[in-house]
Amino acid sequence: MRTLGNILWFLIGGLEMGLAWWLAGLVMYVSIVGIPFGRACFEIGTFTFFPFGREAVRRDELTGERDVGTSPLGTLGNVLWFLLCGWWLALGHLATALLLCVTIIGIPFGLQHVKLAGLTLSPIGKTVVREEVAEAARRGEE
């Protein structure tokens, strides 16, 4: 079922928004300072192409260890991200969600775009893992 969902997703909005994330990543790579942002863009852009069966989680919740992205510096990075790119990617996801929610069949896909819009607001310090791994991390398992 995940495979079918991912194929449909890719065809009705995932491709365009994934490419938008990758474009944002290319823009970030233009400057040396933007490279960490660009790396996050490519990871989340790939997630946006095929989101079903995977989830974005905070790295410190996954590993139990803090890093630069989950520290106060990561919070500052998320604020800069929001001002530079986050708001327009979030608007893209929300506009796509609105268009998809017009039809009953599109509602689950629209809800996924709303989740991605939330991720768009603060992607620094997060990583994409399979749903099973995310669930195990929430339960405190290795």
Side-chain angles (χ1 to χ4, degrees):
M1 195 65 173
R2 289 178 185 170
T3 303
L4 179 60
N6 277 324
I7 291 169
L8 288 172
W9 168 269
F10 186 78
L11 296 173
I12 60 172
L15 173 64
E16 293 83 7
M17 289 309 302
L19 290 175
W21 273 97
W22 282 8
L23 176 63
L26 289 173
V27 169
M28 290 294 127
Y29 267 99
V30 169
S31 71
I32 300 296
V33 176
I35 289 175
F37 299 110
R39 189 175 148 272
C41 286
F42 285 111
E43 183 173 354
I44 296 170
T46 303
F47 173 52
T48 301
F49 286 132
F50 302 107
F52 294 105
R54 299 187 304 157
E55 191 175 328
V57 295
R58 289 182 50 92
R59 282 194 307 270
D60 57 354
E61 292 174 3
L62 186 65
T63 64
E65 299 176 10
R66 293 190 71 160
D67 59 24
V68 174
T70 59
S71 71
L73 192 58
T75 303
L76 176 63
N78 277 323
V79 170
L80 289 173
W81 164 260
F82 178 76
L83 295 173
L84 297 173
C85 289
W87 66 271
W88 64 267
L89 281 168
L91 283 176
H93 280 294
L94 292 174
T96 305
L98 184 64
L99 291 172
L100 287 170
C101 285
V102 171
T103 66
I104 292 174
I105 294 173
I107 291 173
F109 299 107
L111 293 176
Q112 186 67 29
H113 273 291
V114 171
K115 288 180 192 176
L116 285 166
L119 174 61
T120 300
L121 300 178
S122 62
I124 306 301
K126 295 189 178 147
T127 190
V128 178
V129 295
R130 291 187 334 268
E131 283 179 344
E132 298 83 17
V133 174
E135 188 61 36
R138 278 193 285 278
R139 288 191 309 257
E141 299 174 8
E142 295 272 328

